[in-house]
Amino acid sequence: MLRIVLSRTLPRISGISNCQYSAAAIPVPSAQPQVHYNKLFINNEWQDAVSKRSFPTINPATGEVICQVAEADKADVDKAVKAAREAFRFGSPWRRMDASDRGLLLSRLADAIERDTAYLAELETLDNGKPYAVSYSVDVPMVVKCLRYCAGWADKWEGKTIPIDGDFFCYTRHEPIGVCGQIIPWNFPLLMQAWKLGPALATGNTVVMKVAEQTPLTALYVASLIKEVGFPPGVVNILPGMGPSAGSAIASHMDVDKVAFTGSTEVGHLIQQASGSSNLKKVTLELGGKSPNIIMSDANMAEAVEQSHFALFFNQGQCCCAGSRTYVQDTIYDEFMERSVERAKSRVVGDPFNMKTEQGPQVDEEQFKKILGYISSGKSEGAKLMCGGGVAADRGYFIQPTIFGDVQDGMTIAREELFGPVMQILKFKTLEEVVERANDTKYGLAAAVFTKDIDKAHYISSGIRAGTVWINCYNVFGAQAPFGGYKYSGNGRELGEYGLDNYTEVKTVTIKVPQKNS
Amino acid sequence: MPMPVPDLEVQYTKIFIDNEWHESCSGRKMPVHNPATGDLLCEVEEADTEDVDKAVQSARAAFQLGSPWRCMDASDRGLLLNRLADLVERDRLRLATLEALDSGKIFLMAYFVDLMATVKTLRYYGGWADKIQGKTIPVDGEYFTYTRHEPIGVCGQIIPWNFPVMMFAWKIAPALCCGNTVIIKPAEQTPLTALHMACLIKEAGFPPGVVNVLPGYGPTAGSAIAHHMDIDKIAFTGSTAVGKLIQKAAGDSNLKRVTLELGGKNPNIVFADCDLEYAVEQAHSGLFFNQGQCCLAGSRVFVEDSIYEEFVCRSAEKARNKVLGNPLVPGVDQGPQIDQKQFDKILELIESGKKEGATLECGGGPWDRNSLFIQPTVFSNVTDDMRIAKEEIFGPVQQIMRFRSVNEVIQRANATHYGLAAGVFTNDIDKALTVSSALQAGMVWVNCYNAMSTQCPFGGFKMSGNGRELGEYALQEYTEVKAVTIKISQKNS
């Protein structure tokens, strides 16, 4: 869907290159958008942290501080939870609202975001480093679509009446769970916020959201829109803060009914444990991945190369579902490698506000160093460096598009999630072999196969243990399609109708009747 | 308080095909009257068989595999419906005024009820468009099986005059949501808001041919649609008598799928343990709403013996206090009946009530000479064999009958060929659940009446029709399910 969004919002470009944007279609951005909101958002009001502390948020293209942002900690989480709990009280405006009106509010929020697309895209690029052309034509439009999709579900999420044995009338109510803690990452700040808020609010919950400390700014602006369009106070509360303090406070809170976390598998473990140690709050997790991208010998070569490039390098390689193990069938390996290297070498790395840029900086110094560390391990463990392999600029956190060949399954770069612009290409012989090797990982988020053969496509897509399998495409997302992981990649699904389940408590009501009839 | 648009000029009077305005092939036009004054509002092009053929061609082309409509993202179909809702909201005053002038309904009702429901229906189905989901199915054998929920194709839709713009939305919204193309014939009495909607449909951005609006008469244009060999489905709302003709026509032509929303003689059952004043008020509006011109009208009010006299007395009082007059003026409760034919039929049934021995509590005749207004009328001591107890009157005439026991009233309520709606007023949970389960009606209200909402399915048992409109259920009527089964070399769970 990312690719489709690109081709439909931009003038048609020859070939399938989805990384070159026509400047004419996208307005010229301001590289210095004003920051309007940098405090905590609780009960529809802007507040300093109880501790009065703040933290800097950095522009990763330059390493410079953009501004200070209020830093939420446990005391602020307590305030936010109280506000969310009050907004969820039986008889409250939010609880009594027509479901269709909840939907209308979400639609209005989508409209307001659409109205402010250019500004939000600028702010997102400033704070995260992703190219402006992508923020403008992919991230923000996807946010709008997600919210509109969820808005449509609000008054369509139906319980059932059930023919049980006995003289009873039995039905289910699909109720909201209550106060939902949501902790979102820095790789798609706006989009992750929408993925979390959309289903939670459509189903009638209230929310305490902690945004990533690397990228708090766009979420806070959206908070102002939430107030503008008319959500009652306390329904959405947004707290910028650190994981170990604010995030942990949410995960362990005795009065938060559910926590949804997107981030690393490592922190996912902590969230699950915190739930068990506190009030057994419901937990859904969207974690890491080491997704296999399988290229069969009968694949369309040009498509496969371009899509595989996109699968890994999109968003500076910072995607949980990045195709970070590219398995290429032996008979086409050499040609595939040659073309992939050529493509990687041509990838334009630079100022994210420049329309020609395809790749911006990594999000912060920590990620930057970690990725360089992995590149080092690749070299030292004997993988063949085909291109890139180092730093791409003097300031900011830019890394050269890097490809390793002759990668073996046991190497660190083949097993661990890199989250950077480093592509691993591995060789395989047979179908059965590659399915086994693809599954030999603790992760299970996504996978893809490129082939013209209908049977092979089906065999692989059934055999791979991953929550999303793409056939002859990659990174196709739609608000309508569920997304989530097998195994250590998480539990639960986001988006689609399935996404509503995780924000619902099912209540069965059984009424004695004098005489049951069918 | 919203006010009607003064000196409203009718802008759209032609046939709408392929996003263009056409004159009728025959050259004929139909007069459109204001039933409150008898004035001619305008003339509208009259569609007949040839125009229907043109429209079908256009709708069929818009439905071709590979067409813009067929290739459009489902979410974009939804977006178009939402845009249409926005435009209706923008033009709400104009549409409400037009509706009141054309149909005689109270302007404030048109504004707050009809137009509100129209907007909500369009938005509701706008939300469904990209949520219409097939399934993948674990069949036996080495197969991968899934269903596609496809649009049926070209849908003919024939709508009545009692809620013109709202019926228009009820019909096109689910059809378009599911990806169909539509030919819709508004009632000859009330084509004007439908034609304004056509203009908004074009403005919203629906591709040409997706919606075609053909004002015309039942026996000509309507019949052409029902018999057409290249229309895949027909949806009709109107009288049971015509419903039967539609069903026959489908069987006679190409077995097109048929859904029908027909008449009703709806029982409204009031038990002694209810809130009496509230029940009287609900039963009153349940009958008299929209000049009694509702398929849902609670036209057989069954009242438990012990509260019968009091109920009748209060009901008559309420009816006597109704204010008749110009529908555009605030404070008026009841407008004219839609046309002379309806007017005559209602008076005839009133006379039959008197003749067959019912007690006339109030009203019982025309309001004044040379108009289509009828006095709000209440009959008591009505027995089940009387014509006014059996036939759909579709006018401001309330029948109140007496009952003694639960089983008796259930049996009498069900003793009709109709089965559209029913009401039950009681505070007793057992009675409420027992009676609502027992009634043969598509819609049962407990301690309320006419409580409608776009999320809730609506339709009839028995001769009140088949199929459901509104809610998720309506989607089934506009969907063809295709099962696709692919041979694979090895099936795994």
Side-chain angles (χ1 to χ4, degrees):
Chain A
M1 189 223 155
L2 292 171
R3 192 158 77 94
I4 293 165
V5 166
L6 289 176
S7 65
R8 281 185 191 183
T9 55
L10 305 173
R12 273 212 68 71
I13 303 163
S14 63
I16 46 164
S17 71
N18 36 35
C19 296
Q20 285 152 32
Y21 311 107
S22 162
I26 303 170
V28 175
S30 156
Q32 287 166 341
Q34 288 264 349
V35 175
H36 300 292
Y37 304 101
N38 62 348
K39 294 192 179 187
L40 315 186
F41 182 78
I42 298 175
N43 238 348
N44 277 13
E45 285 162 7
W46 297 101
Q47 328 195 351
D48 287 318
V50 166
S51 69
K52 300 277 184 265
R53 279 207 313 274
S54 68
F55 66 94
T57 185
I58 312 280
N59 175 352
T62 61
E64 286 162 5
V65 173
I66 300 171
C67 65
Q68 292 289 320
V69 177
E71 185 189 332
D73 204 327
K74 184 171 183 317
D76 308 285
V77 169
D78 285 340
K79 275 169 80 178
V81 171
K82 252 172 98 165
R85 177 61 62 200
E86 178 58 26
F88 189 74
R89 201 180 26 87
F90 200 62
S92 73
W94 185 239
R95 291 298 296 279
R96 297 202 58 196
M97 194 181 280
D98 282 340
S100 57
D101 279 337
R102 292 201 304 264
L104 208 57
L105 283 174
L106 278 167
S107 266
R108 298 267 172 270
L109 181 60
D111 292 343
I113 289 173
E114 199 173 46
R115 175 195 72 199
D116 295 345
T117 297
Y119 171 73
L120 278 163
E122 287 164 8
L123 201 58
E124 188 87 317
T125 288
L126 185 69
D127 210 3
N128 166 280
K130 62 177 74 203
Y132 174 77
V134 180
S135 301
Y136 186 90
S137 57
V138 178
D139 293 62
V140 179
M142 286 183 78
V143 166
V144 171
K145 286 193 167 200
C146 173
L147 293 174
R148 288 195 173 135
Y149 176 79
C150 293
W153 268 123
D155 62 353
K156 299 172 182 60
W157 186 227
E158 300 164 339
K160 303 170 191 285
T161 60
I162 297 165
I164 63 170
D165 293 355
D167 284 321
F168 301 101
F169 167 49
C170 177
Y171 63 90
T172 53
R173 273 172 55 80
H174 282 193
E175 301 192 350
I177 301 183
V179 174
C180 299
Q182 303 184 316
I183 301 171
I184 60 174
W186 47 259
N187 57 346
F188 293 89
L190 278 168
L191 190 58
M192 292 296 100
Q193 182 186 40
W195 279 25
K196 292 282 184 286
L197 291 182
L201 299 177
T203 46
N205 296 277
T206 58
V207 163
V208 174
M209 173 177 278
K210 184 200 93 59
V211 299
E213 59 271 29
Q214 297 87 340
T215 53
L217 300 181
T218 46
L220 292 175
Y221 184 79
V222 170
S224 77
L225 301 180
I226 283 167
K227 177 175 181 172
E228 178 189 325
V229 303
F231 280 89
V235 171
V236 180
N237 307 276
I238 303 197
L239 307 177
M242 308 295 161
S245 48
S248 175
I250 290 172
S252 325
H253 207 286
M254 294 302 286
D255 200 26
V256 166
D257 302 301
K258 175 227 166 60
V259 65
F261 169 78
T262 297
S264 67
T265 294
E266 178 194 18
V267 176
H269 282 278
L270 300 176
I271 304 270
Q272 185 115 325
Q273 288 174 64
S275 159
S277 304
S278 59
N279 65 343
L280 285 172
K281 55 176 63 61
K282 282 103 176 78
V283 178
T284 49
L285 305 168
E286 298 279 351
L287 308 174
K290 192 69 184 177
S291 303
N293 182 13
I294 299 165
I295 319 297
M296 305 299 296
S297 58
D298 71 343
N300 175 320
M301 176 61 76
E303 279 253 359
V305 167
E306 184 59 33
Q307 284 299 297
S308 302
H309 177 84
F310 174 60
L312 189 294
F313 289 99
F314 181 66
N315 207 45
Q316 292 65 253
Q318 299 165 147
C319 287
C320 46
C321 53
S324 50
R325 288 182 291 154
T326 309
Y327 286 97
V328 182
Q329 199 155 28
D330 54 359
T331 49
I332 55 162
Y333 180 90
D334 291 335
E335 189 186 350
F336 185 91
M337 177 61 81
E338 193 183 317
R339 292 191 188 217
S340 297
V341 168
E342 190 187 335
R343 181 63 182 92
K345 281 184 174 157
S346 76
R347 193 167 182 77
V348 180
V349 181
D351 171 16
F353 282 100
N354 184 318
M355 293 301 197
K356 292 202 178 64
T357 296
E358 295 176 275
Q359 181 178 313
Q362 307 312 122
V363 80
D364 64 9
E365 192 176 4
E366 190 188 320
Q367 288 295 315
F368 178 73
K369 287 190 168 140
K370 189 166 142 208
I371 296 160
L372 291 175
Y374 279 120
I375 292 175
S376 206
S377 83
K379 293 174 186 167
S380 64
E381 288 179 8
K384 190 162 162 206
L385 183 68
M386 305 299 297
C387 66
V391 171
D394 291 332
R395 63 172 195 156
Y397 311 118
F398 294 85
I399 294 181
Q400 294 173 333
T402 299
I403 298 185
F404 280 107
D406 293 346
V407 176
Q408 305 303 315
D409 290 353
M411 292 177 183
T412 305
I413 55 171
R415 302 209 69 77
E416 292 183 27
E417 189 179 37
L418 239 138
F419 235 61
V422 184
M423 187 176 195
Q424 285 62 241
I425 304 187
L426 306 91
K427 195 184 295 196
F428 75 93
K429 261 191 152 51
T430 73
L431 197 57
E432 292 75 13
E433 168 210 339
V434 76
V435 170
E436 215 181 294
R437 288 170 63 190
N439 282 336
D440 180 21
T441 166
K442 68 182 190 180
Y443 293 114
L445 190 54
V449 56
F450 285 81
T451 177
K452 291 201 185 81
D453 186 304
I454 196 177
D455 206 49
K456 280 186 199 140
H458 193 268
Y459 180 83
I460 294 185
S461 56
S462 307
I464 298 215
R465 303 293 289 168
T468 297
V469 181
W470 288 298
I471 300 179
N472 294 331
C473 57
Y474 207 96
N475 276 345
V476 176
F477 285 88
Q480 307 88 356
F483 179 81
Y486 284 40
K487 307 190 291 191
Y488 285 70
S489 288
N491 64 57
R493 292 291 175 270
E494 292 194 286
L495 303 184
E497 184 178 3
Y498 297 79
L500 303 176
D501 287 322
N502 299 318
Y503 286 95
T504 299
E505 280 288 5
V506 176
K507 173 186 286 175
T508 303
V509 180
T510 300
I511 307 177
K512 176 98 189 71
V513 296
Q515 186 191 90
K516 176 264 309 291
N517 278 266
S518 65
Chain B
M1 187 63 65
M3 298 293 288
V5 175
D7 305 318
L8 187 70
E9 287 228 3
V10 178
Q11 290 171 303
Y12 306 105
T13 59
K14 295 193 181 185
I15 294 169
F16 184 79
I17 296 177
D18 230 35
N19 278 12
E20 285 163 3
W21 298 103
H22 297 249
E23 281 163 14
S24 65
C25 292
S26 67
R28 292 199 309 272
K29 297 194 212 292
M30 311 184 304
V32 183
H33 288 99
N34 176 345
T37 61
D39 293 340
L40 180 73
L41 288 168
C42 64
E43 284 191 322
V44 157
E45 297 295 322
E46 183 201 328
D48 202 328
T49 308
E50 260 187 84
D51 308 279
V52 170
D53 285 339
K54 270 168 77 178
V56 173
Q57 258 184 45
S58 168
R60 179 63 60 200
F63 192 73
Q64 275 314 300
L65 213 56
S67 73
W69 186 237
R70 292 300 295 278
C71 291
M72 193 182 282
D73 283 340
S75 57
D76 279 338
R77 292 201 304 266
L79 210 58
L80 285 174
L81 280 166
N82 268 297
R83 261 196 222 133
L84 182 59
D86 292 342
L87 294 174
V88 171
E89 254 176 353
R90 179 195 70 191
D91 291 358
R92 191 171 173 182
L93 268 177
R94 187 182 180 83
L95 280 161
T97 307
L98 207 54
E99 191 84 315
L101 287 170
D102 201 2
S103 74
K105 67 173 64 218
I106 304 302
F107 166 76
L108 286 175
M109 285 293 154
Y111 186 88
F112 284 115
V113 178
D114 300 55
L115 266 307
M116 168 69 79
T118 298
V119 168
K120 286 194 168 195
T121 300
L122 292 169
R123 292 205 194 289
Y124 177 80
Y125 285 105
W128 264 121
D130 59 355
K131 301 170 181 63
I132 296 167
Q133 298 167 158
K135 304 169 190 284
T136 59
I137 300 167
V139 297
D140 294 352
E142 309 286 17
Y143 300 103
F144 167 51
T145 294
Y146 63 91
T147 52
R148 274 171 54 82
H149 283 201
E150 303 192 348
I152 302 181
V154 175
C155 299
Q157 306 185 314
I158 300 173
I159 56 175
W161 47 260
N162 57 347
F163 294 90
V165 75
M166 191 176 90
M167 291 290 104
F168 187 92
W170 280 27
K171 290 282 183 287
I172 67 160
L176 299 177
C177 160
C178 295
N180 296 279
T181 58
V182 159
I183 293 161
I184 181 161
K185 185 197 92 56
E188 59 271 28
Q189 297 90 336
T190 53
L192 302 182
T193 44
L195 293 175
H196 188 97
M197 290 297 291
C199 157
L200 298 184
I201 280 163
K202 178 173 180 171
E203 185 181 344
F206 284 88
V210 170
V211 180
N212 305 277
V213 183
L214 274 57
Y217 293 100
T220 48
S223 177
I225 291 171
H227 283 97
H228 208 286
M229 293 300 288
D230 200 26
I231 287 179
D232 302 301
K233 177 233 166 57
I234 185 163
F236 169 78
T237 296
S239 68
T240 295
V242 175
K244 292 168 85 171
L245 298 178
I246 304 272
Q247 183 107 316
K248 284 199 276 203
D252 204 31
S253 56
N254 65 342
L255 287 172
K256 55 174 66 59
R257 286 99 180 83
V258 178
T259 49
L260 305 169
E261 298 281 351
L262 308 175
K265 192 68 185 177
N266 309 297
N268 191 2
I269 301 168
V270 183
F271 285 93
D273 67 347
C274 71
D275 175 336
L276 185 63
E277 184 55 33
Y278 175 71
V280 165
E281 184 208 300
Q282 287 289 299
H284 175 82
S285 59
L287 188 293
F288 288 96
F289 180 63
N290 207 44
Q291 291 69 251
Q293 298 166 146
C294 286
C295 47
L296 295 171
S299 50
R300 288 183 293 152
V301 184
F302 289 95
V303 180
E304 196 166 3
D305 191 39
S306 56
I307 54 164
Y308 185 80
E309 302 296 343
E310 181 65 23
F311 192 97
V312 169
C313 179
R314 295 195 195 198
S315 299
E317 181 67 22
K318 263 205 155 35
R320 269 181 227 111
N321 288 334
K322 267 188 124 51
V323 177
L324 273 62
N326 179 351
L328 298 182
V329 173
V332 171
D333 300 320
Q334 182 178 313
Q337 306 313 121
I338 186 70
D339 62 14
Q340 192 68 44
K341 184 168 155 206
Q342 286 297 311
F343 178 84
D344 291 341
K345 179 174 146 207
I346 297 160
L347 288 180
E348 197 239 323
L349 279 159
I350 289 176
E351 290 310 310
S352 82
K354 294 172 188 170
K355 219 182 297 165
E356 289 179 345
T359 305
L360 183 68
E361 296 286 338
C362 67
W367 188 48
D368 68 1
R369 273 184 308 220
N370 295 328
S371 84
L372 295 174
F373 288 79
I374 294 180
Q375 295 176 50
T377 299
V378 177
F379 280 110
S380 64
N381 298 320
V382 177
T383 54
D384 293 354
D385 54 316
M386 295 177 184
R387 283 185 65 203
I388 53 173
K390 294 200 294 207
E391 294 175 37
E392 191 180 35
I393 301 177
F394 234 63
V397 186
Q398 185 183 42
Q399 285 63 239
I400 310 182
M401 22 271 259
R402 189 192 298 260
F403 78 92
R404 286 185 171 76
S405 79
V406 175
N407 288 335
E408 169 210 338
V409 76
I410 288 173
Q411 190 258 319
R412 288 169 65 192
N414 284 339
T416 165
H417 288 303
Y418 291 114
L420 190 53
V424 181
F425 285 82
T426 175
N427 280 326
D428 182 298
I429 195 176
D430 279 345
K431 250 182 231 152
L433 291 175
T434 299
V435 176
S436 55
S437 303
L439 290 171
Q440 291 160 359
M443 193 103 154
V444 180
W445 289 298
V446 178
N447 294 332
C448 56
Y449 205 90
N450 276 346
M452 306 263 301
S453 193
T454 45
Q455 304 87 359
C456 179
F458 168 86
F461 283 38
K462 306 191 287 190
M463 291 182 82
S464 286
N466 63 57
R468 292 291 174 270
E469 293 195 284
L470 301 186
E472 183 178 1
Y473 294 79
L475 302 175
Q476 289 162 10
E477 320 289 6
Y478 285 97
T479 297
E480 250 347 311
V481 176
K482 173 188 286 174
V484 180
T485 297
I486 306 176
K487 174 95 188 74
I488 53 178
S489 54
Q490 188 189 100
K491 179 259 312 290
N492 279 267
S493 65

